[in-house]
Amino acid sequence: MTSDERSDGSARPGRAGRRSGHAEPYTLASLVEVAARAFNERGYDATSMEDLSRAAGITKSSFYHHVSGKEALLRAALDRALDGLFGILAEPGASAGAPVDRLRHIVRRQVEVLATELPYVTLLLRLHGNTETERWALARRREFDQTIARLVADVRSDVDPVVAARLLSGTVNSLIEWYRPGRVPVAELVEAVDRQVFEGLLR
Amino acid sequence: MTSDERSDGSARPGRAGRRSGHAEPYTLASLVEVAARAFNERGYDATSMEDLSRAAGITKSSFYHHVSGKEALLRAALDRALDGLFGILAEPGASAGAPVDRLRHIVRRQVEVLATELPYVTLLLRLHGNTETERWALARRREFDQTIARLVADVRSDVDPVVAARLLSGTVNSLIEWYRPGRVPVAELVEAVDRQVFEGLLR
DNA sequence: GTGCACCGAACGATCGTTCGGTCGGACGCG
DNA sequence: CGCGTCCGACCGAACGATCGTTCGGTGCAC
């Protein structure tokens, strides 16, 4: 973390000597991925454009040739996270069937999306609402959570549905705090969350 | 959020005109509370010393008369959070009895500490490890989590204890994302978490 | 020759922190 | 009591550093 960044070698086009023509350009998506990873490691505000450009392998001014600014990178990353989450609600399993089955489907798919879109969802879940972009993303996220809350209310009307839904979302979302791809297979993770959420620690 | 901060009137000594003597000095604890609240609202890096001093009701230079710097405020707040959490482990109910009872005691008390020390614990749970202070706090926090993980392994050896412990901590810690004092009584919150953690959503 | 990827240098703004100074109440002393 | 001194709370102004962003220019590929 002192200098010579980019501890993981991914998402870095092959321009080892600036020779050999264009050689795979920096796409917006690849730079957003680099940015999302850096934002998660140090936090959005603590990550400078110098950090990002160094992680991408070019200078700060060159970096601005590909992206319009810091906040645009954040918005693109949040967009990707929200698209993944709302995509779940558009699936047949989320709208058809008994409420408990729909809830179960959403929870399991949400675990999968969290795992596959980890850097982007992590950013979404750590927002503060400082800028208009962040407030917009937070509003969409609340929309998603409320859909789940209504389902929880249908499944369990005896306990406080609001509190139960918050705890459910908290359990699922807490994956971003520790899950890293590769260690635990996603399918295994889905089963673990499903069991703990619906059956609890005491069977 | 544009200007004229301090939306909540607490923690502000009565020096309405600078007249009338000393009139309750700014204690370190009261300034740490102000700082912790501000850090949580905007994030540590996005909160300037100007923000903090304005929230305290004095100028930035006066603020430095009472505190040694920004990072010292963070450390004091993290200290308070960690003291609260490790205090739980020192209680008799955390070390005596069957593992399941000890786990239950810790979980219930942890909910109470999270609720009462909300701003400080929130800060602790959102660290990035950018500075030495943050890394020290994260190390202590891992220590606390591992104690719980060992207990979970004693209670449930059939499921992956590591994953189960992470999900348990995630569920409890997710309180900081939505719980605000006053809305839901702490006792009620304790019962809701206990039931959901140990019995699950399906009874 | 035209255009695009890239770069160094600099912009104004804002950051955390420091410094010199003002003001008023507390206090020692005759 | 009156008075000189002191000290802590407070402030405006400025420090160097770093931030996000812009600009003019260079060089290679086509």
Side-chain angles (χ1 to χ4, degrees), chain A residues 191-192 195-196 200-201, chain B residues 152-153 155-165:
Chain A
E191 294 305 325
R195 193 163 38 217
Q196 185 138 329
L201 268 181
Chain B
V152 170
V155 174
R156 288 292 298 262
S157 59
D158 53 331
V159 301
D160 185 336
V162 175
V163 172

Side-chain angles (χ1 to χ4, degrees), chain A residues 2 9-10 25 62 69 85 103 126 161 166 169:
Chain A
T2 54
S10 74
S62 300
L85 291 178
L103 181 61
R126 288 185 178 161
R166 306 258 202 197
S169 289

Side-chain angles (χ1 to χ4, degrees), chain B residues 134-195:
Chain B
E134 297 189 19
R135 284 189 286 274
W136 160 84
L138 282 176
R140 290 211 69 196
R141 183 187 142 194
R142 263 191 299 273
E143 207 181 314
F144 180 83
D145 287 341
Q146 282 172 4
T147 301
I148 297 184
R150 282 188 292 268
L151 263 182
V152 170
D154 289 343
V155 174
R156 288 292 298 262
S157 59
D158 53 331
V159 301
D160 185 336
V162 175
V163 172
R166 305 258 202 196
L167 290 175
L168 168 60
S169 290
T171 305
V172 176
N173 290 337
S174 71
L175 289 182
I176 66 166
E177 303 290 342
W178 58 272
Y179 179 75
R180 298 296 174 263
R183 323 268 232 193
V184 178
V186 175
E188 208 168 285
L189 194 65
V190 169
E191 294 305 326
V193 173
D194 185 317
R195 193 163 37 213

Side-chain angles (χ1 to χ4, degrees), chain A residues 137-156:
Chain A
L138 282 175
R140 290 211 68 195
R141 182 185 143 196
R142 262 192 299 273
E143 207 183 315
F144 180 82
D145 287 341
Q146 281 172 5
T147 300
I148 296 183
R150 281 189 293 268
L151 262 181
V152 170
D154 288 344
V155 173
R156 288 292 298 261

Side-chain angles (χ1 to χ4, degrees), chain A residues 40 81 117-127 176 180:
Chain A
N40 287 331
E117 309 286 334
L118 192 61
Y120 313 101
V121 180
T122 302
L123 267 179
L124 177 67
L125 294 177
R126 288 185 178 161
L127 291 179
I176 65 165
R180 297 296 174 265

